[in-house]
Amino acid sequence: VAELCNLIHANLPDKYSLHCEEQYSEFLHSADRPPILTEKSRADLVVYEAIKNRRGERELHVKFVIEVKLASAPKSQIDGDLKRLIAVRTAFPDIKTYLVVVAEAHRPDRFVSDAGASITKQQRLKGVDGYFKVRRTLKAAHAYTKIERAQYACLVETFVDA
């Protein structure tokens, strides 16, 4: 998380700010916050946009919520993050929600095909009115013939059913 935080922070335009390990309750008011986002639930990364209000004062508005997981984490933990992100997107459609999945020396087959490409089809979770899609996969390997042993980073976006 720290490395991704540093990379994002170094490339953000001035009108955006990045907050790490922020409780959902800090930026989603309790009346609007879905029950799956408990008082102590935390988002790994939150990107805010500074917008001037009618009085000319600067206000921070959430633009992106990003969770980060190792591909080796249990499926239930990855699904838990995806469900929370879909809940955010359901309650706040203007907030983009992403999961970054990082795999070290193995191909995360749930997100990356046998050929080493993103699996871009809609994937669903049981009991959730939404889905996720892999938007982009980056890989690093000593040779492209060693797809199974490459390092992978997948950007997964969550969506709500229309």
Side-chain angles (χ1 to χ4, degrees):
V1 174
E3 289 178 36
L4 183 59
C5 188
N6 290 336
L7 283 170
I8 292 172
H9 187 271
N11 292 287
L12 273 181
D14 290 339
K15 70 177 184 174
Y16 296 105
S17 61
L18 178 66
H19 299 237
C20 302
E21 294 294 331
E22 186 149 326
Q23 287 184 313
Y24 282 101
S25 59
E26 291 292 317
F27 61 91
L28 302 177
H29 302 291
S30 60
D32 302 324
R33 194 173 60 244
I36 192 172
L37 304 175
T38 63
E39 190 70 29
K40 294 185 180 189
S41 295
R42 291 181 178 268
D44 290 329
L45 306 169
V46 182
V47 177
Y48 290 88
E49 181 179 16
I51 299 174
K52 287 189 179 180
N53 65 19
R54 292 181 184 144
R55 296 184 302 267
E57 298 166 44
R58 189 178 148 217
E59 292 181 349
L60 293 178
H61 294 267
V62 178
K63 292 298 286 185
F64 307 99
V65 175
I66 304 166
E67 295 287 358
V68 181
K69 272 287 184 270
L70 288 174
S72 59
K75 183 179 183 293
S76 61
Q77 286 183 12
I78 293 171
D79 286 355
D81 277 353
L82 289 166
K83 288 176 181 179
R84 280 187 289 281
L85 292 169
I86 290 169
V88 169
R89 194 80 183 255
T90 300
F92 304 92
D94 293 338
I95 298 175
K96 296 274 193 167
T97 54
Y98 297 97
L99 173 67
V100 175
V101 179
V102 179
E104 299 178 286
H106 78 281
R107 180 179 58 83
D109 57 6
R110 184 175 179 190
F111 305 103
V112 179
S113 72
D114 291 341
S118 300
I119 297 175
T120 57
K121 69 176 182 171
Q122 292 182 11
Q123 297 185 57
R124 298 198 160 274
L125 298 170
K126 288 184 180 178
V128 178
D129 293 329
Y131 58 94
F132 63 92
K133 291 172 68 170
V134 180
R135 285 297 194 190
R136 178 100 165 132
T137 297
L138 300 174
K139 62 183 169 283
H142 295 294
Y144 284 104
T145 58
K146 296 184 179 183
I147 288 173
E148 290 299 324
R149 302 296 301 159
Q151 315 299 319
Y152 288 89
C154 303
L155 180 65
V156 179
E157 185 172 3
T158 62
F159 298 90
V160 177
D161 292 333

Coordinates of all heavy atoms in Angstrom, one line a residue, residues 103 105-106 116 138-153:
A103 N 0.4 -9.4 -7.6 CA 0.8 -10.8 -7.5 C 2.3 -10.9 -7.7 O 2.9 -10.4 -8.7 CB 0.1 -11.7 -8.5
A105 N 5.4 -13.3 -8.5 CA 5.9 -14.6 -9.0 C 4.8 -15.6 -9.3 O 5.0 -16.8 -9.3 CB 6.9 -15.2 -8.2
H106 N 3.6 -15.1 -9.6 CA 2.5 -16.0 -10.0 C 1.4 -15.2 -10.7 O 1.2 -14.1 -10.4 CB 1.9 -16.9 -8.9 CG 1.0 -16.2 -8.0 ND1 1.3 -15.4 -7.0 CD2 -0.4 -16.2 -8.0 CE1 0.3 -14.9 -6.4 NE2 -0.8 -15.4 -7.0
G116 N -1.7 -14.1 -20.2 CA -1.1 -13.0 -19.5 C -1.8 -11.7 -19.7 O -1.3 -10.6 -19.3
L138 N -0.6 -5.0 -15.6 CA 0.8 -4.8 -16.0 C 1.6 -6.0 -15.4 O 1.3 -6.5 -14.4 CB 1.3 -3.5 -15.3 CG 0.5 -2.2 -15.7 CD1 1.0 -1.0 -14.9 CD2 0.7 -1.9 -17.2
K139 N 2.6 -6.4 -16.2 CA 3.4 -7.5 -15.7 C 4.9 -7.2 -16.0 O 5.2 -6.5 -16.9 CB 2.9 -8.8 -16.4 CG 3.0 -8.8 -17.9 CD 2.5 -10.2 -18.4 CE 2.3 -10.2 -19.9 NZ 1.2 -9.5 -20.4
A140 N 5.7 -7.8 -15.2 CA 7.1 -7.8 -15.3 C 7.6 -9.2 -15.2 O 7.3 -9.9 -14.3 CB 7.7 -6.9 -14.3
A141 N 8.5 -9.6 -16.2 CA 9.1 -10.9 -16.2 C 10.4 -10.8 -16.8 O 10.7 -9.9 -17.6 CB 8.2 -11.9 -16.9
H142 N 11.3 -11.8 -16.5 CA 12.6 -11.8 -17.1 C 12.5 -12.1 -18.6 O 13.2 -11.7 -19.4 CB 13.5 -12.9 -16.4 CG 13.8 -12.5 -15.0 ND1 14.6 -11.4 -14.7 CD2 13.4 -13.1 -13.8 CE1 14.7 -11.4 -13.4 NE2 14.0 -12.3 -12.8
A143 N 11.5 -12.9 -18.9 CA 11.2 -13.3 -20.3 C 9.7 -13.5 -20.4 O 9.1 -14.0 -19.6 CB 12.0 -14.5 -20.7
Y144 N 9.1 -13.0 -21.5 CA 7.7 -13.1 -21.7 C 7.2 -14.5 -21.8 O 6.1 -14.8 -21.8 CB 7.2 -12.2 -22.9 CG 7.2 -10.8 -22.5 CD1 8.1 -9.9 -23.0 CD2 6.2 -10.3 -21.7 CE1 8.1 -8.6 -22.6 CE2 6.2 -9.0 -21.3 CZ 7.1 -8.1 -21.8 OH 7.1 -6.8 -21.5
T145 N 8.1 -15.5 -21.9 CA 7.7 -16.9 -22.0 C 7.4 -17.4 -20.6 O 6.9 -18.5 -20.4 CB 8.8 -17.7 -22.6 OG1 10.0 -17.5 -21.9 CG2 9.1 -17.3 -24.1
K146 N 7.8 -16.6 -19.5 CA 7.5 -17.1 -18.2 C 6.4 -16.3 -17.6 O 6.5 -15.8 -16.5 CB 8.8 -16.9 -17.3 CG 10.0 -17.7 -17.8 CD 11.2 -17.5 -16.9 CE 12.3 -18.4 -17.4 NZ 13.5 -18.3 -16.5
I147 N 5.2 -16.4 -18.2 CA 4.0 -15.7 -17.8 C 3.6 -16.1 -16.4 O 3.2 -15.3 -15.6 CB 2.9 -15.8 -18.8 CG1 3.2 -15.0 -20.1 CG2 1.6 -15.4 -18.3 CD1 2.3 -15.2 -21.2
E148 N 3.7 -17.4 -16.1 CA 3.3 -17.9 -14.8 C 4.1 -17.4 -13.7 O 3.6 -17.3 -12.5 CB 3.3 -19.4 -14.8 CG 2.2 -20.1 -15.7 CD 0.8 -19.7 -15.3 OE1 0.5 -19.6 -14.1 OE2 0.0 -19.6 -16.2
R149 N 5.3 -17.0 -13.9 CA 6.2 -16.6 -12.8 C 6.4 -15.0 -12.8 O 7.3 -14.5 -12.1 CB 7.6 -17.3 -13.0 CG 7.5 -18.8 -13.0 CD 7.1 -19.4 -11.7 NE 7.9 -19.0 -10.6 CZ 7.6 -19.0 -9.3 NH1 6.3 -19.4 -9.0 NH2 8.4 -18.6 -8.4
A150 N 5.7 -14.3 -13.6 CA 5.8 -12.9 -13.7 C 5.3 -12.2 -12.4 O 4.6 -12.8 -11.6 CB 5.1 -12.3 -14.9
Q151 N 5.6 -10.9 -12.3 CA 5.0 -10.1 -11.3 C 3.8 -9.4 -12.0 O 4.0 -8.9 -13.1 CB 6.0 -9.0 -10.8 CG 7.4 -9.5 -10.5 CD 7.5 -10.6 -9.4 OE1 6.8 -10.5 -8.4 NE2 8.3 -11.6 -9.6
Y152 N 2.7 -9.3 -11.3 CA 1.5 -8.7 -11.9 C 0.9 -7.6 -11.0 O 1.0 -7.7 -9.8 CB 0.4 -9.8 -12.1 CG 0.7 -10.7 -13.2 CD1 1.4 -11.9 -13.0 CD2 0.2 -10.5 -14.5 CE1 1.6 -12.8 -14.0 CE2 0.5 -11.4 -15.5 CZ 1.2 -12.5 -15.2 OH 1.4 -13.4 -16.3
A153 N 0.3 -6.6 -11.6 CA -0.5 -5.6 -10.9 C -1.7 -5.4 -11.8 O -1.6 -5.1 -13.0 CB 0.3 -4.3 -10.8

